[in-house]
Amino acid sequence: MTTATAFPPPALVFEERLEPSTVADLDSPALVLFEEALESNLATLIRLAGSAARLRPHVKTHKMPNLVRRCEALGIHRHKVATIAEAEMVAQAGGRDVLIAYPLVGPKLDRLMKLRAAYPETTFRVTLDHLRGLTDLEETVARHGGPHASPVPVLIDLNVGMNRTGIMPDDRAIELALKVADSPYLSFDGLHAYDGHIRDENPGERLHSAEIMVHRPWSLLRNRLIERGVAVPRIVLGGTPAFPAHATLAADEPTAEFSPGTCLLHDAGYATAFPDLPFRIAAALLTRVISRPAPDLLCLDLGHKAVAADPKGPRVFFPDWPDAQGVVHSEEHLVIRSNLAADTPVGTAVLAIPYHICPTCALHRFAVVARQGKIVDRWEVTARDRVLTI
């Protein structure tokens, strides 16, 4: 950030606060979770989904075993991850069912087998989107377990317009699903469709996009597979922006599972882009003024190493400085311009709301947890690492 950049508009609602005595003892920069808001978000997730059993939240947002345990206690026993480390973290936390929704290639295939052996009480599911991936997975299962190996549950990853991973929901997807179903080392476990490209501002338009781009294609594909004698046990749908749409469209679909992630903690990006989402911001960063290089400038200890450097443009919103504009953002420093700078002494502590909470969490080894303004706990961000024990 090298030129003046406006932060998210002050219409963003954030009412959480820390008591002054708590702030005084808390070093900065620090990742802070607000327990009441987090509990509210979990309750809203379950309400929108219809039941805890229909949820498969993506842990890539928080990467914390304590939050996995919170989900399990509420009856959310299915989880979605992007890395082997996240999968292991969920298993260590007592998670019973993990979908690794990321292509496993190279050494990750052997790590999957070791993961299954180390945590036999947890079911690990994977996604596939091409025949080479199927062959490599089969060979890995055979090498590790021989003819008596327990089959790996596989979901076909569909490309519904994101154009990142996935196979088009056409004859090629049918062929891949049939090969999985015929494999002695794999079991066909359903379909997976991620739609991060659906970002219509209007909720009604978002609902229409989800229906056209996701629900119609997967429904047609499911019907074709059933006609070929292949049952489709589950369909795992979407991320946070389209979550309410999927919950509405698949309200009567017993095989549907919803996999939002960001909304567990929520952030300034989604709160401003999708104000209809009924979630509270449950995570913030405590930062301090370390210098005043000019009368209207404040330098904070909130560099790229404490808050995500994406997306391009605004990275944080300051509830106490709604007029703030970013001037320079580097490794350890964030310089902002504000009309309130002249009245803000060096050492002042302030809360900042990340624009993108998921990569921000990964920058912190732990988060402190606040309740009624006081720090009550400390949660390790365990899966920020790429490797735990496997």
Side-chain angles (χ1 to χ4, degrees):
M1 212 186 320
T2 57
T3 58
T5 305
F7 288 110
L12 183 152
V13 176
F14 179 71
E15 300 177 345
E16 317 303 327
R17 289 294 181 265
L18 294 175
E19 290 191 357
S21 58
T22 289
V23 172
D25 295 331
L26 186 59
D27 199 4
S28 58
L31 176 63
V32 184
L33 304 185
F34 295 91
E35 200 166 30
E36 296 94 334
L38 176 58
E39 291 172 351
S40 173
N41 289 345
L42 289 170
T44 299
L45 274 172
I46 294 171
R47 175 178 60 81
L48 290 178
S51 73
R54 291 167 64 80
L55 285 166
R56 188 181 287 275
H58 205 318
V59 309
K60 58 95 178 177
T61 291
H62 59 83
K63 303 175 184 288
M64 303 178 198
N66 286 74
L67 195 36
V68 171
R69 296 186 188 103
R70 288 287 177 98
C71 288
E72 287 283 331
L74 292 172
I76 302 172
H77 302 310
R78 296 167 175 160
H79 310 272
K80 181 172 165 180
V81 307
T83 70
I84 296 293
E86 290 173 0
E88 184 173 9
M89 179 274 289
V90 172
Q92 289 177 345
R96 310 176 190 182
D97 186 324
V98 181
L99 170 62
I100 306 174
Y102 196 89
L104 298 181
V105 298
K108 288 183 175 62
L109 291 167
D110 288 311
R111 291 178 68 194
L112 170 67
M113 297 302 111
K114 294 175 182 177
L115 196 64
R116 298 179 74 205
Y119 302 95
E121 295 182 358
T122 299
T123 299
F124 296 99
R125 310 177 193 276
V126 303
T127 59
L128 281 179
D129 63 4
H130 57 96
L131 292 174
R132 173 60 187 271
L134 182 149
T135 301
D136 290 347
L137 181 56
E138 281 185 320
E139 291 177 351
T140 304
V141 177
R143 186 171 67 253
H144 280 261
H148 304 294
S150 174
V152 174
V154 171
L155 284 76
I156 303 303
D157 184 23
L158 303 179
N159 181 0
V160 291
M162 185 73 180
N163 293 328
R164 188 171 65 183
T165 65
I167 189 170
M168 298 299 292
D170 53 22
D171 289 346
R172 290 167 294 178
I174 296 290
E175 179 188 6
L176 184 59
L178 292 174
K179 287 185 178 296
V180 169
D182 289 340
S183 172
Y185 299 108
L186 312 175
S187 62
F188 178 67
D189 195 48
L191 306 171
H192 171 262
Y194 177 64
D195 54 6
H197 60 295
I198 297 180
R199 302 181 66 86
D200 305 88
E201 293 183 8
N202 182 282
E205 293 175 357
R206 213 177 310 145
L207 178 72
H208 179 69
S209 294
E211 181 178 12
I212 298 299
M213 297 182 186
V214 183
H215 281 261
R216 289 186 186 177
W218 83 254
S219 296
L220 290 172
L221 189 66
R222 189 261 305 272
N223 293 341
R224 291 183 62 192
L225 285 169
I226 291 175
E227 290 173 358
R228 300 290 293 268
V230 178
V232 182
R234 73 190 75 246
I235 170 68
V236 179
L237 294 166
T240 292
F243 165 51
H246 291 309
T248 297
L249 292 167
D252 298 322
E253 175 51 63
T255 67
E257 299 173 7
F258 311 115
S259 58
T262 303
C263 56
L264 272 73
L265 300 181
H266 214 35
D267 57 25
Y270 279 0
T272 54
F274 310 109
D276 59 288
L277 295 178
F279 300 102
R280 291 168 58 182
I281 292 174
L285 295 164
L286 180 75
T287 181
R288 283 184 170 86
V289 177
I290 59 172
S291 181
R292 288 175 52 190
D296 63 341
L297 297 180
L298 297 172
C299 182
L300 304 159
D301 57 354
L302 199 62
H304 295 319
K305 293 178 180 177
V307 62
D310 81 318
K312 182 179 180 181
R315 277 53 182 282
V316 286
F317 168 66
F318 296 96
D320 292 341
W321 300 326
D323 70 327
Q325 290 185 314
V327 179
V328 175
H329 202 185
S330 53
E331 290 185 48
E332 302 289 355
H333 308 80
L334 172 60
V335 178
I336 66 168
R337 176 174 285 111
S338 170
N339 293 328
L340 301 173
D343 298 321
T344 305
V346 169
T348 297
V350 67
L351 289 173
I353 313 304
Y355 200 78
H356 195 181
I357 187 60
C358 308
T360 295
C361 281
L363 297 171
H364 295 263
R365 188 165 295 281
F366 63 88
V368 294
V369 182
R371 189 169 191 88
Q372 296 182 348
K374 297 180 180 179
I375 301 301
V376 296
D377 208 347
R378 169 173 155 158
W379 292 359
E380 297 294 326
V381 188
T382 306
R384 70 193 292 267
D385 296 327
R386 286 285 174 176
V387 178
L388 302 186
T389 69
I390 292 174

